[in-house]
Amino acid sequence: MEQKTVVLGISGGIAAYKAAEVASSLAKSGYEVRVVMTQGATKFIAPLTFQTLTGHPVVVDMFAVPPIWNVGHVAYAEAADLVLIAPATANVIAKMAHGLADDMLTATVLATKAPVLVAPAMNCNMYLNPAVQHNLSLLQQRGFHIMPPEEGRLACGTTGPGRLASPEKIVAAAKRLLHPRTDLAGFRVLVTAGPTREPIDPVRYLSNRSTGKMGYALAKVAAELGAEVTLVSGPTALVPPAGVRLIEVTTAQEMLTAVLAHLNTADALVMAAAVADFRPRSYSSEKIKKKGESLSLELERTEDILEQVARRKKTGQVVVGFAAESSNLIVNAEHKLRRKRLDFIVANDITRTDTGFASDNNEVKILWPDGRVEELPLALKDEIAVAIWERVLLRREEIQAASAK
Ligand code: CTP
């Protein structure tokens, strides 16, 4: 196999020492690793460490006269199959988001055509600062891959999100980008995500706490695996994944219409949306005024989208549902699996605070019609999405094998 080159950019934060493990692991896996450090990074860990681990000199100064080898300021950008920035400080993230190129690391990022993976690490207040979040979402919109930091005790003594993702996770994500899989090439998939909103009057609505992260991860990963993806999304604050056809809806009724309109041409449907089960029976076109001490709203059932889909499903189509439960997870999920005639159901416990709504992580169980229950370990929603698509393919092959008999 042709040797691939990873340009590892290290910026100046305490987590810079963890980049040594990343460099070492990538080099041991057979990649050519070229390290670029910012001046700040060299205050935390010596370039000699990386030179020793990778067998190549480390570049810091954009204007240094190269002693023995030729490193023009864009040489690494051109040689890279992947540019990995770990750790990425708030400052480097801001420079990348705004196209600055005042050192070798940012010049490389600006000049490369290779995928860029960014692993932020910083104090949690800095990480949560709207400026940093905005810069990260700008990078995401441009197709950069972000490896979210973990929560925990940070070097500065505070606790929260900001700790560099573990070297194993960073290396695994890098490998996924270096060897893109095409398992879903030629596959057309329909994914739903987010909550729905059911209007009460011009200013109010009924909705739920879904952020859409799981559905967006499913759409993003399916596109990365080569599928043609249609994402039907309720209102969310998320950036639509690159290369995905987005259909925005608000109500359960609109989601039903959009799903049915695209069902026929889909090989698989994954319903990750948290569809409202009830809507106000009547909509008030005037803002409802407060009269008296209480107000009763009469609600009516919305259509169950998956039940409608079950009636129209073509042979060979794979249909997957989700069950978010606060009690009796397995029993409730199993009931939904049967009632909605699903190929499998992904169940998660919403009483946990470290997974589910708004989290980047999830821990799910997958229930199959034959009674099997698979427990997937706690993982990033992107990783759960990969596991779900692998099972969709497996199920598809089973159906095809059965119909060929
Ligand atoms: N779902 C749907 N249409 C609805 C409600 C839910 O298609 N009107 C889908 C969801 O997208 C999810 C699955 O059904 O994939 C289970 O959703 P959930 O809300 O957990 O189940 P419900 O059938 O609504 O049951 P309950 O609310 O009583 O738990």
Side-chain angles (χ1 to χ4, degrees):
M1 208 169 60
E2 190 201 333
Q3 194 184 30
K4 301 216 174 199
T5 301
V6 180
V7 173
L8 173 60
I10 303 168
S11 57
I14 182 62
Y17 78 93
K18 292 188 187 167
E21 206 173 322
V22 174
S24 159
S25 166
L26 288 168
K28 279 190 198 138
S29 302
Y31 299 104
E32 167 104 354
V33 184
R34 297 293 183 140
V35 173
V36 181
M37 297 175 80
T38 61
Q39 288 289 357
T42 63
K43 305 268 186 258
F44 290 93
I45 183 165
L48 183 61
T49 305
F50 295 99
Q51 177 161 340
T52 312
L53 290 170
T54 65
H56 296 290
V58 170
V59 182
V60 182
D61 183 353
M62 187 154 56
F63 301 105
V65 178
I68 40 171
W69 83 109
N70 180 22
V71 187
H73 74 293
V74 296
Y76 276 8
E78 281 164 5
D81 292 296
L82 174 74
V83 176
L84 164 61
I85 314 295
T89 58
N91 187 46
V92 152
I93 290 168
K95 289 206 268 180
M96 293 191 293
H98 297 282
L100 271 71
D102 62 352
D103 58 18
M104 189 64 179
L105 191 157
T106 46
T108 303
V109 170
L110 204 58
T112 195
K113 287 196 169 140
V116 184
L117 174 61
V118 178
M122 65 197 77
N123 161 274
C124 59
N125 292 334
M126 281 172 98
Y127 178 69
L128 295 173
N129 186 294
V132 174
Q133 289 300 314
H134 179 65
N135 288 335
L136 282 169
S137 87
L138 281 177
L139 291 176
Q140 220 173 343
Q141 279 169 40
R142 284 188 214 131
F144 281 52
H145 303 268
I146 313 291
M147 164 63 57
E150 290 170 2
E151 292 209 14
R153 220 185 110 73
L154 305 175
C156 52
T158 51
T159 302
R163 193 166 67 186
L164 184 71
S166 70
E168 303 85 74
K169 273 194 187 165
I170 295 174
V171 169
K175 287 184 179 172
R176 279 202 297 276
L177 292 167
L178 285 158
H179 308 281
R181 287 164 50 178
T182 53
D183 309 35
L184 293 180
F187 224 64
R188 284 172 297 188
V189 304
L190 185 55
V191 177
T192 65
T196 64
R197 279 183 191 167
E198 310 302 326
I200 298 169
D201 68 15
V203 289
R204 303 175 178 106
Y205 55 79
L206 289 176
S207 191
N208 59 64
R209 290 178 51 207
S210 167
T211 59
K213 280 189 175 175
M214 190 65 237
Y216 275 57
L218 280 157
K220 183 184 96 171
V221 167
E224 284 168 5
L225 293 175
E228 198 181 295
V229 186
T230 303
L231 172 63
V232 177
S233 175
T236 74
L238 301 177
V239 179
V244 161
R245 173 159 58 149
L246 177 70
I247 299 173
E248 291 177 289
V249 299
T250 304
T251 64
Q253 184 58 41
E254 286 168 16
M255 188 170 277
L256 172 71
T257 308
V259 167
L260 295 185
H262 294 90
L263 183 65
N264 241 336
T265 51
D267 298 305
L269 163 67
V270 180
M271 277 289 301
V275 188
D277 290 322
F278 289 94
R279 66 175 155 241
R281 186 177 288 285
S282 59
Y283 170 75
S284 163
S285 55
E286 299 283 341
K287 182 181 171 198
I288 299 171
K289 292 288 174 195
K290 49 180 177 299
K291 300 182 203 116
E293 285 309 303
S294 65
L295 171 73
S296 298
L297 272 181
E298 198 182 343
L299 305 180
E300 64 182 12
R301 285 283 292 268
T302 56
E303 289 267 24
D304 191 304
I305 302 175
L306 280 176
E307 282 185 9
Q308 292 290 326
V309 167
R311 281 190 217 139
R312 294 168 169 82
K313 184 176 150 180
K314 292 189 297 187
T315 357
Q317 279 183 319
V318 178
V319 179
V320 178
F322 273 72
E325 304 292 344
S326 57
S327 62
N328 299 328
L329 181 68
I330 301 286
V331 174
N332 285 331
E334 213 155 49
H335 179 64
K336 286 176 194 174
L337 172 73
R338 299 201 189 290
R339 184 160 50 88
K340 305 189 186 212
R341 309 221 302 269
L342 302 171
D343 289 280
F344 63 86
I345 193 159
V346 184
N348 69 311
D349 176 355
I350 52 165
T351 58
R352 289 180 55 160
T353 50
D354 54 340
T355 61
F357 293 128
S359 170
D360 289 320
N361 293 313
N362 213 350
E363 187 172 324
V364 301
K365 294 185 175 36
I366 294 189
L367 280 70
W368 295 86
D370 62 7
R372 265 179 309 138
V373 178
E374 286 184 84
E375 298 195 12
L376 303 190
L378 177 71
L380 284 174
K381 284 183 173 170
D382 279 12
E383 290 163 344
I384 303 270
V386 172
I388 291 172
W389 289 121
E390 282 170 351
R391 281 154 185 79
V392 166
L393 276 177
L394 216 66
R395 181 71 193 124
R396 171 100 167 161
E397 283 162 17
E398 272 174 19
I399 300 171
Q400 280 169 346
S403 65
K405 271 190 197 153

